Amino acid sequence: MSAAALKLAVVAGEVSGDLLGGDLVAALKRRYEGPVELVGVGGEALEAQGLQSLFDYSELSIMGFIQVIKRLPKLLARIRQTAEAIIAAKPDVLLIIDSPDFTHRVAKRVRKALPDVPIVDYVCPSVWAWKEYRAQKMLAYVDHVLAVLPFEPAAMERLGGPATTYVGHRLTVDADLLETRRQRAARGLDTQKTILLLPGSRASEIRQLLPVFEQATNELSRRNKDIRFLLPTVPRQEALVRSLVANWQVKPDIVVGQAAKWSAFAQGEAAMAASGTVILELGLVGVPVVSTYKTEWLAKFVLSRIKIWTAALPNLIADYAVLPELINDVLRPGMLARYMERLSNETPERAAMLAGYDLVWERMQTEEPPGDKAAQIVLDVLAHKKTGHL
C-alpha cells in the first residue's frame, strides 16, 4: 500500500531557482513512496514535474532598485496571491527557492496562517554579505536552509540563523560544464588568443559594460596581433547586443544560446565578465577571468553598506583573492586589457588563478547530487515536524 500523497508548495522566482526546484522534486519522487502533488510558482523545470504555476514567474526577474520600485504594486499583489493560494491548499511542506524579496514574504504569510507547516529555504540569502540581522529573523519562518555554497552553514551558525546544510551546487554535476571542463583539460593554449566577452544577461548590465569592453578590445587589438573576441549571449538579449556592437572598430563573434556558451568556454584563453554566477562557471571549467560591474547610482549607495570583502564566489569559497574584481570607477579599459594579456598566456598570474580554481572545485564536491541531498532533507524536516525528532 502506497503512502498518502505528499503535497509540496514550492515558490521559485527565477530560472536558476526553477532548475533547482525541478531537480529536488524529481529526487523527491524517487525517494517518497506515494505521489507528490505541487502547488505554487515556477517555470519549465517545475512544470515538467507537474506544477501548474499560479502566474508567469518571469515577472519576478527584476534587477535594479529603480526597476523594483516601478513594479512594486504588482509584486505585492503577486505575493498576496501566492500566499493565499498556498494557504488554501494546506500543503505538507513549503519550499521557497532563492529570490528572497519575494519568496520570504510569501513564507512569512504562510507561517502566520499555517504555523505547523514546515518551511525549507533552498539557496541561503546573502546574509553573510549585508543585512546580517536577517539571519536571526529567518528563525521565525524558516525551519531549514539548503545552502549551495560550502561556506554558508558556518556563516549562518555564526549569525544565529536557522539550521543550514550544504547540499552542493548543481553546476558541479552539470553535464555541459563537466564536458567543457574535460575539453579544456585536454587542450593547451592556442597561438591565436580567444578572449571571451560576457557582459551579463540583463539589459542594464549589458548597456553598462559593453562600452568598457569595446575600449578594452580596441586596446588589446592595438597591442596584440593575433587575437579574437567571442561574445556569448542569451536569445532574449541578442538584438540588443548586436545593436550595441554594430559600430565597434573590432567586432566580436556573437554566439547565442547555452550550447554556444559552453563551446565558447571551451575555446577561451581568458574572459572579462559581469559579476555573477558566470564567474563561478568560468572558474569551474578553468577559464581565467576578471570580474566586472557597474551599478546604478542608487545601487552605489547600497554597495557601500555591503560588509563582505569580495563579490566573486570563487574568492569566497577559496577564502582568498583567486581573481580580480574591477567595479565602477576602478573598471578601466586599459587595466582590463592588460589583465587579459597576462591571463591568456603562460604567466604566474594565470597559474595562480588556475590553482585557486582547483581548490574551489575541491571544496564544492559532495557525496551525492545536490537535488538528492536536498530532497532527503525536505523529507527529514517533514518527519521532524510530525514526530518532534529526526
Side-chain angles (χ1 to χ4, degrees), residues 106-121:
V106 172
K108 289 175 185 176
R109 288 171 178 258
V110 173
R111 175 51 54 92
K112 186 175 181 180
L114 301 173
D116 293 331
V117 171
I119 299 176
V120 177
D121 183 11

Side-chain angles (χ1 to χ4, degrees), residues 48-211:
Q49 295 298 328
L51 175 70
Q52 289 187 330
S53 185
L54 296 169
F55 57 88
D56 183 350
Y57 82 143
S58 66
E59 291 180 21
L60 306 176
S61 298
I62 301 173
M63 184 179 184
F65 297 93
I66 294 171
Q67 295 176 54
V68 170
I69 290 168
K70 287 178 181 176
R71 298 283 301 282
L72 195 56
K74 185 68 174 288
L75 284 173
L76 293 174
R78 290 304 194 194
I79 289 167
R80 286 193 299 272
Q81 176 192 359
T82 305
E84 287 169 5
I86 290 171
I87 292 165
K90 295 182 178 177
D92 295 301
V93 60
L94 168 60
L95 174 69
I96 57 174
I97 311 174
D98 210 357
S99 309
D101 288 339
F102 182 82
T103 63
H104 284 229
R105 286 176 168 82
V106 172
K108 289 175 185 176
R109 288 171 178 258
V110 173
R111 175 51 54 92
K112 186 175 181 180
L114 301 173
D116 293 331
V117 171
I119 299 176
V120 177
D121 183 11
Y122 198 167
V123 182
C124 182
S126 303
V127 291
W128 36 263
W130 73 315
K131 293 185 177 179
E132 294 181 342
Y133 61 84
R134 291 179 296 165
Q136 286 192 13
K137 285 182 176 286
M138 286 171 63
L139 289 169
Y141 60 91
V142 170
D143 296 290
H144 205 102
V145 177
L146 308 176
V148 299
L149 298 171
F151 60 84
E152 290 177 323
M156 285 294 276
E157 184 176 6
R158 174 176 59 84
L159 296 171
T164 302
T165 303
Y166 173 58
V167 298
H169 200 294
R170 75 185 312 271
L171 282 176
T172 62
V173 295
D174 182 273
D176 292 323
L177 186 145
L178 292 172
E179 173 59 20
T180 305
R181 182 178 167 86
R182 186 196 65 76
Q183 290 177 22
R184 290 191 62 81
R187 65 182 283 269
L189 289 173
D190 289 339
T191 304
Q192 183 190 41
K193 302 303 179 190
T194 297
I195 303 298
L196 305 181
L197 311 178
L198 295 150
S201 59
R202 293 180 170 96
S204 55
E205 292 178 304
I206 293 167
R207 292 182 188 279
Q208 292 268 25
L209 289 175
L210 274 183

Side-chain angles (χ1 to χ4, degrees), residues 341-359:
E341 290 173 347
R342 299 297 295 174
L343 294 174
S344 60
N345 288 283
E346 294 289 4
T347 60
E349 292 90 340
R350 180 183 176 86
M353 195 175 294
L354 294 177
Y357 287 167
D358 288 341
L359 176 61

